[in-house]
Amino acid sequence: MTTRDKIVDTLEEIALLLELKGENPFKIRAYRTGAEVVQSYPGDIVQKAADNQLKDIKGIGSALQEKLQELASTGELEFHKNLRAEFPESIFELFDIQGLGPKKIKALYEQLGVKGLADLQRVCDSGEAAQLAGFGKKSVDKIREAIAFREQNSGCFHQDVAMASAELVREALQAHPAAGRVEAAGSLRRGKETLHDLDFIVATKRPQEIMDYFVGLPFVTQVINHGSTKSSIRLENGIQCDLRAVSNTELPFALNYFTGSKEHNVAMRGRALKRGYTLNEYRLAPTGEAKDISANIHEEADLYRALGLDYIDPALRENAGEIEAAEKGLLPRLVELENLRGTFHNHTIASDGNATLAEMADAAQELGLEYLGIADHSKASFQANGLDEKRLRHQIAEIAELNKTYEGFRLFAGTECDILKDGSLDFDDGLLSELDYVVASVHNVFNLPEKEMTARLIRAIENPHVTMLGHLTGRLLLKREPYAVNVPMILDAAAETGTLIELNANPWRLDMDWRWWKLAKEKGVKCAINPDAHSTRGLQCLAFGVRIARKGWLTRDDVINCLSLAKVTEAIAAKRQRHS
DNA sequence: CTTTCTCTAAAGTGCACTGTGGCCAGTGC
């Protein structure tokens, strides 16, 4: 069965391969456009393609119509197969290296026979790469750094992929008749920003049966371990998944132990010892005269209570003050997805999103939100089709019109305004003042020294129209390092000016990092959880943002999205009013 | 490869930055 995703992937791969061949850039773009159109087409485009009913779809001309028909009806495409045959499979690895584009990959492949990462490392080390035209010592050094960065993160995955895989595994396990409770543990449960494996615990009386079933599941591509209570497999996407079978009574202990973090566990064990117990993954047992209380422990919460602690949410288990807080009854009541009543920073087809204003608004309402902020790119982000003054004013008017049609819901007119190299903004204050709010973000010149980058951001923060700072460090998890910026100084400036900091909920960003939010909260800086959605589906990234906010100890009072429509309207106008 | 047109040919997203090689090409947003 051909799926929409497969068609999209095929078209994108064709674009990549054509680039490698040095084809006409417009032809390449046509395939990329085609992929986008297929991705966002409302309706069953696969069926339509198979039936050759693709006429009059903008972006799909005669050549793509034919290819899509072949692809949809046969599941294959001769043209694609032939293209693939021209290059080794592993060549795609090279596109993950920052600083390598199609031209350089082409040169490496044709002149040095570089087929993948291993070859790339070799020709960098041997000095061959530096000899190529267009290459030199500096570029080779950069490539080596990029390889090292990639290797450091190899076997790591973004939250969206990990969560989807975890759901698949959980459902499969739960379906077995001998499976009792099935729980995800590990860093997934703690809500870490990236993950390298999935840990599951199942309560059962027949562990061997569960293990045999687990390693034989259809999505298993490799069996790493297969024992009577512990097995490890690899999924199709490369994620390793460990499963442990325990008894019902052991479950709370196993769950606690395998959720971690290691540091949290060490602290817990130490605490148990002080109270006369030894704690491990199976039980809490008295070491001396203490009374055996294990029969009273059915849930993790009972275990924490037994150690004189309030229940500590998995998100907080990083040994970063959570045990002390739990002892004193000072743990925060963490924000929940259900607390969010709206969100900011979302894109539409006006810039690089693929849904219209109305579609985004409808999707937001379906999620139960009361307001949605639109923040399309500004003109300096040309590559993202950023709006100029005229188009933005047109969008403001469009939003005003749409707002007349809603009851109990509102679109906010905003912008994701580029912060230019010197810290000035891409739009003048006159236009910014016509908007409901402004997200200010950096999209170019990432390599400034920390001092200059910090000054750049602070200058933007000091603009009275800047409501919030977008993706603070510009990092792309597992792909690009954050840029150098002094976060405490930024937080001070934000606190002083009443500027919000975004928690960008895109699983590739999750920026500002969760490790800073506790400090931000202490300084009185508020958070805006934003999905940075480029489609209606993208709004669901909010869930990832909430997970990170929880790791940052944030409560509903710290997150502006938890305010009602009336209150949030005041809140986003507050900074500006200080200055008027 | 697609769209648009002045309708069978031309135009189709711009800029900053980096490094290399000698004033340009590749990359990334």
Side-chain angles (χ1 to χ4, degrees), chain A residues 534-572:
Chain A
H534 286 73
S535 63
T536 53
R537 205 166 52 170
L539 290 171
Q540 297 181 9
C541 285
L542 278 174
F544 303 119
V546 170
R547 281 161 66 86
I548 294 297
R550 292 169 67 87
K551 281 199 90 54
W553 292 57
L554 299 185
T555 68
R556 57 192 300 176
D557 296 332
D558 305 313
V559 177
I560 189 170
N561 318 46
C562 297
L563 296 176
S564 66
L565 176 54
K567 289 256 168 64
V568 88
T569 309
E570 283 173 32
I572 57 178

Side-chain angles (χ1 to χ4, degrees), chain A residues 14 25 28 35 41 52 59 112 122 125 172 182 211 225 256 258 262 295 315 359 422 448 450 527 548 555:
Chain A
I14 290 173
I28 296 163
Y41 187 81
N52 201 14
L112 296 177
R122 180 175 50 75
D125 292 345
V182 176
M211 290 297 142
N225 287 303
N256 191 249
F258 289 110
K262 196 188 283 172
E359 286 163 355
D422 63 356
L448 291 180
E450 180 179 304
C527 168
I548 294 297
T555 68

Side-chain angles (χ1 to χ4, degrees), chain A residues 419 425 437-441 457-470 472 489-502 512 517 520-521 523-528 558 560 571-576 578-579:
Chain A
I419 301 174
L425 296 175
Y437 73 104
V438 173
V439 183
S441 309
L457 291 176
I458 289 177
R459 183 170 169 205
I461 287 173
E462 284 170 348
N463 183 310
H465 297 292
V466 170
T467 322
M468 62 186 82
L469 210 54
L472 180 65
M489 281 177 74
I490 298 290
L491 294 178
D492 283 334
E496 201 172 304
T497 54
T499 309
L500 304 161
I501 303 279
E502 169 178 273
M512 176 168 89
W517 282 109
K521 177 176 172 165
K523 290 180 187 283
V525 177
K526 299 283 183 208
C527 168
D558 305 313
I560 189 170
I572 57 178
K575 178 179 172 186
R576 218 177 250 171
R578 286 194 196 182
H579 293 263

Side-chain angles (χ1 to χ4, degrees), chain A residues 4 8 33-43 45 349 353-356 359 534-537:
Chain A
R4 184 189 293 239
V8 170
T33 309
E36 261 173 49
V37 170
V38 172
Q39 174 78 272
S40 56
Y41 187 81
I45 196 161
I349 47 170
N354 65 19
T356 63
E359 286 163 355
H534 286 73
S535 63
T536 53
R537 205 166 52 170

Side-chain angles (χ1 to χ4, degrees), chain A residues 473-525:
Chain A
T473 72
R475 72 177 180 187
L476 291 179
L477 290 165
L478 311 180
K479 168 103 176 163
R480 186 176 72 205
E481 296 272 21
Y483 37 73
V485 53
N486 185 318
V487 176
M489 281 177 74
I490 298 290
L491 294 178
D492 283 334
E496 201 172 304
T497 54
T499 309
L500 304 161
I501 303 279
E502 169 178 273
L503 197 176
N504 189 300
N506 185 306
W508 281 69
R509 293 191 182 271
L510 303 175
D511 185 10
M512 176 168 89
D513 189 275
W514 58 268
R515 295 157 186 87
W516 290 113
W517 282 109
K518 218 170 145 193
L519 180 64
K521 177 176 172 165
E522 282 164 23
K523 290 180 187 283
V525 177

